[in-house]
Amino acid sequence: MGGRDGTRERLVRAGGELALSLELPRVFAGVTTAAVAERAGVTTGSFFHHFPTTAAFVDAVCRAWMEDRQPTRDSVDEMVEALEHADLAEIVEGSLREVWSVAATDRAWHDRVRGQMVLFSHHDRPLAEPVDGLRTAGDLLGETYRRRTEDAVAGWADLLHRTGLRMAEPHTLEHMSVAMTALMTGLQIRRAVDPDAVDDELFARVGTLLSAAMTTRAGPGPSPAILPGALADDEEDEGRSPQARAGARRRRDTRRRIAEAATGRFPRGWEDVSGSDVAEWSDVSTQTVFNVFRSVRAVAATTFARHLPELERAAAIHRDDDPREALHDTLRALARLAGADPEPARALLGERLEATLHHGAELGEHDIRREVPLIAVLLPLLERLDLGDLDPADVAGSLINFTIAQAVPRPGRAEETAGLAMRLLPATAAADPAAVAVADPAADPAAVAVADPAPPVT
């Protein structure tokens, strides 16, 4: 048995070695001239007019997998301009997120990476006709990597110079650029074969950490300079500098302007909208969009805030005398609005779930649960019901998520959706007699604390 297994392994190994030893034209053996001509919509004669031999055609395909030079000046200009709205860590992460967004969705980019893997697996195979000193498939791939690194070095050098930073010894710009481009390529390959392993944030987050570890200030001051969270601000922090407070105000104003410009522009979902589309609508740079919003999905989710006034009106109809009926009316209104505006609602649900999974009840400055505070609408009603040991805020969050999840795929069934949501309440959830008795502030000076609580936004 051991001998048979050894023979099998040798055959498999030999097959792999033979596949990798093929001349490039034989790698394309199944790509016939007739098939290429048919796919291109031309005649075979036209094919040979442009390519005298199949080897020349193979060389041209291999060269097409090389990448064009990428000018960086405009991108750096946008990043430096964006310092008005965000700290450097946010800018770097936003820029890397934008790059990944293109890499993950651009079919041509994906196909080019696949082609480059063919060049890698046959890197020592000669080309039919060397061009510009490039004699093998490996030379083509190496030239692509050199171009990519040189472009990245130019961009990083410009950014560091204009922000008062430098590389921390023993690192160099070349080291960081090679590491960044290798990280991008590796994650693209892994995502193609194992999508669940690589989410949309991984490249931006790891790349930002990498840049933080390899840079420092050019002069005196704390290090590293590009440190995620190092300049993060919190609106309730009274110790913030005037500059930080002004920056926070600018970010809020910019987010509001972008959200207003994007409202009503997601009829087919955020997946069909690019950051550059959002930038054009709101008259800002693409870099600014990704500096103040984590993703296009976050922009779409924020636009659902336009429905808050209608939800607040529904909640107020029976609030004083029957909070349970007011809750039902509010959930019915939420279901109707989510069904009528499904793509922002779907984006909102995704953002809410992600925020809860990653941060629990703790809210960040731009947490979607703060920016579209649906819980603030439900909480005054739930706090007047007997929920037993349940936290009213937790119940509110569950009701909102359930209602949106049911309403988006089933528009026009708002009453049924609201009824199902109400079943999530415990059997004891009748109006709390004590809360109703003090609903009139004139009857009890402490009523304000019960009948109209200041709801925490979660």
Side-chain angles (χ1 to χ4, degrees), residues 257-258 260-267 272-284 296 299:
R257 177 151 59 100
I258 292 173
E260 289 174 354
T263 297
R265 294 181 181 265
F266 297 93
D272 288 341
V273 175
S274 67
S276 58
D277 291 332
V278 177
E280 183 177 352
W281 299 336
S282 48
D283 195 26
V284 299
V296 174
V299 178

PDB file of all heavy atoms in Angstrom, residues 257-258 260-267 272-284 296 299:
ATOM      1  N   ARG A 257     -24.326  67.439   5.099  1.00  0.00           N
ATOM      2  CA  ARG A 257     -24.453  67.871   3.694  1.00  0.00           C
ATOM      3  C   ARG A 257     -24.431  66.670   2.748  1.00  0.00           C
ATOM      4  O   ARG A 257     -25.213  66.602   1.785  1.00  0.00           O
ATOM      5  CB  ARG A 257     -23.303  68.830   3.362  1.00  0.00           C
ATOM      6  CG  ARG A 257     -23.272  69.293   1.909  1.00  0.00           C
ATOM      7  CD  ARG A 257     -22.639  70.671   1.797  1.00  0.00           C
ATOM      8  NE  ARG A 257     -21.286  70.694   2.317  1.00  0.00           N
ATOM      9  CZ  ARG A 257     -20.179  70.639   1.557  1.00  0.00           C
ATOM     10  NH1 ARG A 257     -20.303  70.530   0.254  1.00  0.00           N
ATOM     11  NH2 ARG A 257     -18.990  70.702   2.092  1.00  0.00           N
ATOM     12  N   ILE A 258     -23.560  65.714   3.019  1.00  0.00           N
ATOM     13  CA  ILE A 258     -23.475  64.533   2.162  1.00  0.00           C
ATOM     14  C   ILE A 258     -24.758  63.714   2.261  1.00  0.00           C
ATOM     15  O   ILE A 258     -25.308  63.264   1.244  1.00  0.00           O
ATOM     16  CB  ILE A 258     -22.249  63.685   2.543  1.00  0.00           C
ATOM     17  CG1 ILE A 258     -20.955  64.426   2.182  1.00  0.00           C
ATOM     18  CG2 ILE A 258     -22.289  62.321   1.849  1.00  0.00           C
ATOM     19  CD1 ILE A 258     -19.695  63.749   2.679  1.00  0.00           C
ATOM     20  N   GLU A 260     -27.776  64.703   3.093  1.00  0.00           N
ATOM     21  CA  GLU A 260     -28.881  65.410   2.440  1.00  0.00           C
ATOM     22  C   GLU A 260     -28.791  65.283   0.920  1.00  0.00           C
ATOM     23  O   GLU A 260     -29.803  65.071   0.244  1.00  0.00           O
ATOM     24  CB  GLU A 260     -28.866  66.879   2.849  1.00  0.00           C
ATOM     25  CG  GLU A 260     -29.280  67.115   4.301  1.00  0.00           C
ATOM     26  CD  GLU A 260     -29.120  68.567   4.720  1.00  0.00           C
ATOM     27  OE1 GLU A 260     -28.585  69.359   3.909  1.00  0.00           O
ATOM     28  OE2 GLU A 260     -29.511  68.912   5.858  1.00  0.00           O
ATOM     29  N   ALA A 261     -27.576  65.398   0.390  1.00  0.00           N
ATOM     30  CA  ALA A 261     -27.410  65.298  -1.065  1.00  0.00           C
ATOM     31  C   ALA A 261     -27.694  63.894  -1.564  1.00  0.00           C
ATOM     32  O   ALA A 261     -28.128  63.704  -2.709  1.00  0.00           O
ATOM     33  CB  ALA A 261     -25.990  65.719  -1.450  1.00  0.00           C
ATOM     34  N   ALA A 262     -27.445  62.871  -0.722  1.00  0.00           N
ATOM     35  CA  ALA A 262     -27.626  61.481  -1.146  1.00  0.00           C
ATOM     36  C   ALA A 262     -29.036  60.955  -0.916  1.00  0.00           C
ATOM     37  O   ALA A 262     -29.375  59.871  -1.406  1.00  0.00           O
ATOM     38  CB  ALA A 262     -26.633  60.594  -0.400  1.00  0.00           C
ATOM     39  N   THR A 263     -29.858  61.715  -0.202  1.00  0.00           N
ATOM     40  CA  THR A 263     -31.206  61.246   0.114  1.00  0.00           C
ATOM     41  C   THR A 263     -32.015  61.006  -1.160  1.00  0.00           C
ATOM     42  O   THR A 263     -32.065  61.856  -2.046  1.00  0.00           O
ATOM     43  CB  THR A 263     -31.922  62.271   1.012  1.00  0.00           C
ATOM     44  OG1 THR A 263     -31.210  62.375   2.247  1.00  0.00           O
ATOM     45  CG2 THR A 263     -33.355  61.838   1.286  1.00  0.00           C
ATOM     46  N   GLY A 264     -32.636  59.830  -1.230  1.00  0.00           N
ATOM     47  CA  GLY A 264     -33.462  59.478  -2.372  1.00  0.00           C
ATOM     48  C   GLY A 264     -32.690  58.981  -3.581  1.00  0.00           C
ATOM     49  O   GLY A 264     -33.275  58.787  -4.647  1.00  0.00           O
ATOM     50  N   ARG A 265     -31.382  58.723  -3.437  1.00  0.00           N
ATOM     51  CA  ARG A 265     -30.563  58.347  -4.587  1.00  0.00           C
ATOM     52  C   ARG A 265     -30.101  56.890  -4.551  1.00  0.00           C
ATOM     53  O   ARG A 265     -29.117  56.538  -5.184  1.00  0.00           O
ATOM     54  CB  ARG A 265     -29.338  59.265  -4.669  1.00  0.00           C
ATOM     55  CG  ARG A 265     -29.677  60.724  -4.984  1.00  0.00           C
ATOM     56  CD  ARG A 265     -28.410  61.536  -5.069  1.00  0.00           C
ATOM     57  NE  ARG A 265     -28.637  62.943  -5.341  1.00  0.00           N
ATOM     58  CZ  ARG A 265     -28.613  63.505  -6.543  1.00  0.00           C
ATOM     59  NH1 ARG A 265     -28.413  62.752  -7.609  1.00  0.00           N
ATOM     60  NH2 ARG A 265     -28.803  64.803  -6.687  1.00  0.00           N
ATOM     61  N   PHE A 266     -30.802  56.051  -3.808  1.00  0.00           N
ATOM     62  CA  PHE A 266     -30.402  54.646  -3.726  1.00  0.00           C
ATOM     63  C   PHE A 266     -31.543  53.724  -4.158  1.00  0.00           C
ATOM     64  O   PHE A 266     -31.904  52.787  -3.440  1.00  0.00           O
ATOM     65  CB  PHE A 266     -29.965  54.307  -2.297  1.00  0.00           C
ATOM     66  CG  PHE A 266     -28.758  55.071  -1.837  1.00  0.00           C
ATOM     67  CD1 PHE A 266     -28.904  56.264  -1.138  1.00  0.00           C
ATOM     68  CD2 PHE A 266     -27.487  54.600  -2.098  1.00  0.00           C
ATOM     69  CE1 PHE A 266     -27.789  56.970  -0.708  1.00  0.00           C
ATOM     70  CE2 PHE A 266     -26.369  55.296  -1.675  1.00  0.00           C
ATOM     71  CZ  PHE A 266     -26.521  56.488  -0.990  1.00  0.00           C
ATOM     72  N   PRO A 267     -32.118  53.929  -5.335  1.00  0.00           N
ATOM     73  CA  PRO A 267     -33.266  53.102  -5.732  1.00  0.00           C
ATOM     74  C   PRO A 267     -32.914  51.634  -5.931  1.00  0.00           C
ATOM     75  O   PRO A 267     -33.763  50.766  -5.766  1.00  0.00           O
ATOM     76  CB  PRO A 267     -33.715  53.750  -7.053  1.00  0.00           C
ATOM     77  CG  PRO A 267     -32.481  54.410  -7.583  1.00  0.00           C
ATOM     78  CD  PRO A 267     -31.753  54.916  -6.369  1.00  0.00           C
ATOM     79  N   ASP A 272     -24.811  49.676  -5.979  1.00  0.00           N
ATOM     80  CA  ASP A 272     -24.706  50.266  -7.312  1.00  0.00           C
ATOM     81  C   ASP A 272     -24.208  51.700  -7.283  1.00  0.00           C
ATOM     82  O   ASP A 272     -24.190  52.372  -8.317  1.00  0.00           O
ATOM     83  CB  ASP A 272     -26.071  50.235  -8.015  1.00  0.00           C
ATOM     84  CG  ASP A 272     -26.459  48.817  -8.439  1.00  0.00           C
ATOM     85  OD1 ASP A 272     -25.549  47.976  -8.518  1.00  0.00           O
ATOM     86  OD2 ASP A 272     -27.647  48.569  -8.665  1.00  0.00           O
ATOM     87  N   VAL A 273     -23.823  52.197  -6.120  1.00  0.00           N
ATOM     88  CA  VAL A 273     -23.382  53.588  -5.968  1.00  0.00           C
ATOM     89  C   VAL A 273     -21.931  53.596  -5.503  1.00  0.00           C
ATOM     90  O   VAL A 273     -21.560  52.871  -4.582  1.00  0.00           O
ATOM     91  CB  VAL A 273     -24.268  54.329  -4.942  1.00  0.00           C
ATOM     92  CG1 VAL A 273     -23.737  55.729  -4.688  1.00  0.00           C
ATOM     93  CG2 VAL A 273     -25.711  54.384  -5.435  1.00  0.00           C
ATOM     94  N   SER A 274     -21.110  54.399  -6.127  1.00  0.00           N
ATOM     95  CA  SER A 274     -19.704  54.499  -5.754  1.00  0.00           C
ATOM     96  C   SER A 274     -19.472  55.735  -4.883  1.00  0.00           C
ATOM     97  O   SER A 274     -20.306  56.646  -4.821  1.00  0.00           O
ATOM     98  CB  SER A 274     -18.826  54.593  -6.999  1.00  0.00           C
ATOM     99  OG  SER A 274     -19.054  55.826  -7.673  1.00  0.00           O
ATOM    100  N   GLY A 275     -18.326  55.774  -4.236  1.00  0.00           N
ATOM    101  CA  GLY A 275     -17.970  56.945  -3.452  1.00  0.00           C
ATOM    102  C   GLY A 275     -17.871  58.191  -4.308  1.00  0.00           C
ATOM    103  O   GLY A 275     -18.224  59.298  -3.869  1.00  0.00           O
ATOM    104  N   SER A 276     -17.420  58.023  -5.552  1.00  0.00           N
ATOM    105  CA  SER A 276     -17.321  59.180  -6.450  1.00  0.00           C
ATOM    106  C   SER A 276     -18.703  59.697  -6.828  1.00  0.00           C
ATOM    107  O   SER A 276     -18.885  60.908  -7.033  1.00  0.00           O
ATOM    108  CB  SER A 276     -16.518  58.814  -7.704  1.00  0.00           C
ATOM    109  OG  SER A 276     -17.109  57.725  -8.386  1.00  0.00           O
ATOM    110  N   ASP A 277     -19.705  58.805  -6.912  1.00  0.00           N
ATOM    111  CA  ASP A 277     -21.089  59.257  -7.164  1.00  0.00           C
ATOM    112  C   ASP A 277     -21.564  60.148  -6.012  1.00  0.00           C
ATOM    113  O   ASP A 277     -22.118  61.233  -6.240  1.00  0.00           O
ATOM    114  CB  ASP A 277     -22.035  58.050  -7.279  1.00  0.00           C
ATOM    115  CG  ASP A 277     -21.793  57.223  -8.524  1.00  0.00           C
ATOM    116  OD1 ASP A 277     -21.313  57.790  -9.532  1.00  0.00           O
ATOM    117  OD2 ASP A 277     -22.060  56.012  -8.479  1.00  0.00           O
ATOM    118  N   VAL A 278     -21.349  59.680  -4.787  1.00  0.00           N
ATOM    119  CA  VAL A 278     -21.764  60.451  -3.620  1.00  0.00           C
ATOM    120  C   VAL A 278     -21.032  61.788  -3.580  1.00  0.00           C
ATOM    121  O   VAL A 278     -21.618  62.836  -3.269  1.00  0.00           O
ATOM    122  CB  VAL A 278     -21.502  59.651  -2.332  1.00  0.00           C
ATOM    123  CG1 VAL A 278     -21.862  60.482  -1.101  1.00  0.00           C
ATOM    124  CG2 VAL A 278     -22.288  58.346  -2.336  1.00  0.00           C
ATOM    125  N   ALA A 279     -19.736  61.758  -3.910  1.00  0.00           N
ATOM    126  CA  ALA A 279     -18.942  62.992  -3.908  1.00  0.00           C
ATOM    127  C   ALA A 279     -19.500  63.994  -4.906  1.00  0.00           C
ATOM    128  O   ALA A 279     -19.596  65.197  -4.625  1.00  0.00           O
ATOM    129  CB  ALA A 279     -17.485  62.665  -4.242  1.00  0.00           C
ATOM    130  N   GLU A 280     -19.884  63.511  -6.087  1.00  0.00           N
ATOM    131  CA  GLU A 280     -20.423  64.412  -7.110  1.00  0.00           C
ATOM    132  C   GLU A 280     -21.748  65.016  -6.662  1.00  0.00           C
ATOM    133  O   GLU A 280     -21.987  66.210  -6.868  1.00  0.00           O
ATOM    134  CB  GLU A 280     -20.611  63.635  -8.420  1.00  0.00           C
ATOM    135  CG  GLU A 280     -21.096  64.487  -9.571  1.00  0.00           C
ATOM    136  CD  GLU A 280     -21.215  63.709 -10.868  1.00  0.00           C
ATOM    137  OE1 GLU A 280     -20.784  62.543 -10.905  1.00  0.00           O
ATOM    138  OE2 GLU A 280     -21.746  64.273 -11.848  1.00  0.00           O
ATOM    139  N   TRP A 281     -22.606  64.221  -6.030  1.00  0.00           N
ATOM    140  CA  TRP A 281     -23.898  64.740  -5.578  1.00  0.00           C
ATOM    141  C   TRP A 281     -23.711  65.845  -4.530  1.00  0.00           C
ATOM    142  O   TRP A 281     -24.456  66.825  -4.532  1.00  0.00           O
ATOM    143  CB  TRP A 281     -24.740  63.619  -4.938  1.00  0.00           C
ATOM    144  CG  TRP A 281     -25.059  62.487  -5.845  1.00  0.00           C
ATOM    145  CD1 TRP A 281     -25.107  62.510  -7.215  1.00  0.00           C
ATOM    146  CD2 TRP A 281     -25.366  61.145  -5.454  1.00  0.00           C
ATOM    147  NE1 TRP A 281     -25.426  61.271  -7.701  1.00  0.00           N
ATOM    148  CE2 TRP A 281     -25.589  60.412  -6.649  1.00  0.00           C
ATOM    149  CE3 TRP A 281     -25.462  60.499  -4.233  1.00  0.00           C
ATOM    150  CZ2 TRP A 281     -25.913  59.047  -6.623  1.00  0.00           C
ATOM    151  CZ3 TRP A 281     -25.778  59.146  -4.204  1.00  0.00           C
ATOM    152  CH2 TRP A 281     -26.002  58.444  -5.389  1.00  0.00           C
ATOM    153  N   SER A 282     -22.736  65.659  -3.654  1.00  0.00           N
ATOM    154  CA  SER A 282     -22.594  66.573  -2.513  1.00  0.00           C
ATOM    155  C   SER A 282     -21.526  67.629  -2.722  1.00  0.00           C
ATOM    156  O   SER A 282     -21.270  68.425  -1.814  1.00  0.00           O
ATOM    157  CB  SER A 282     -22.298  65.771  -1.237  1.00  0.00           C
ATOM    158  OG  SER A 282     -21.265  64.840  -1.453  1.00  0.00           O
ATOM    159  N   ASP A 283     -20.879  67.630  -3.895  1.00  0.00           N
ATOM    160  CA  ASP A 283     -19.874  68.636  -4.233  1.00  0.00           C
ATOM    161  C   ASP A 283     -18.712  68.625  -3.246  1.00  0.00           C
ATOM    162  O   ASP A 283     -18.267  69.667  -2.764  1.00  0.00           O
ATOM    163  CB  ASP A 283     -20.501  70.033  -4.291  1.00  0.00           C
ATOM    164  CG  ASP A 283     -19.582  71.050  -4.993  1.00  0.00           C
ATOM    165  OD1 ASP A 283     -18.767  70.617  -5.830  1.00  0.00           O
ATOM    166  OD2 ASP A 283     -19.699  72.252  -4.702  1.00  0.00           O
ATOM    167  N   VAL A 284     -18.230  67.409  -2.926  1.00  0.00           N
ATOM    168  CA  VAL A 284     -17.013  67.255  -2.134  1.00  0.00           C
ATOM    169  C   VAL A 284     -16.136  66.247  -2.857  1.00  0.00           C
ATOM    170  O   VAL A 284     -16.546  65.642  -3.851  1.00  0.00           O
ATOM    171  CB  VAL A 284     -17.311  66.758  -0.693  1.00  0.00           C
ATOM    172  CG1 VAL A 284     -18.191  67.745   0.047  1.00  0.00           C
ATOM    173  CG2 VAL A 284     -17.958  65.374  -0.713  1.00  0.00           C
ATOM    174  N   VAL A 296     -20.200  53.581   1.641  1.00  0.00           N
ATOM    175  CA  VAL A 296     -21.393  54.073   0.952  1.00  0.00           C
ATOM    176  C   VAL A 296     -22.641  53.539   1.643  1.00  0.00           C
ATOM    177  O   VAL A 296     -23.673  54.211   1.696  1.00  0.00           O
ATOM    178  CB  VAL A 296     -21.357  53.674  -0.540  1.00  0.00           C
ATOM    179  CG1 VAL A 296     -22.668  54.054  -1.232  1.00  0.00           C
ATOM    180  CG2 VAL A 296     -20.181  54.342  -1.247  1.00  0.00           C
ATOM    181  N   VAL A 299     -23.642  55.890   4.268  1.00  0.00           N
ATOM    182  CA  VAL A 299     -24.316  57.068   3.717  1.00  0.00           C
ATOM    183  C   VAL A 299     -25.789  56.742   3.479  1.00  0.00           C
ATOM    184  O   VAL A 299     -26.691  57.493   3.879  1.00  0.00           O
ATOM    185  CB  VAL A 299     -23.658  57.527   2.402  1.00  0.00           C
ATOM    186  CG1 VAL A 299     -24.407  58.729   1.827  1.00  0.00           C
ATOM    187  CG2 VAL A 299     -22.186  57.875   2.617  1.00  0.00           C
TER     188      VAL A 299
END
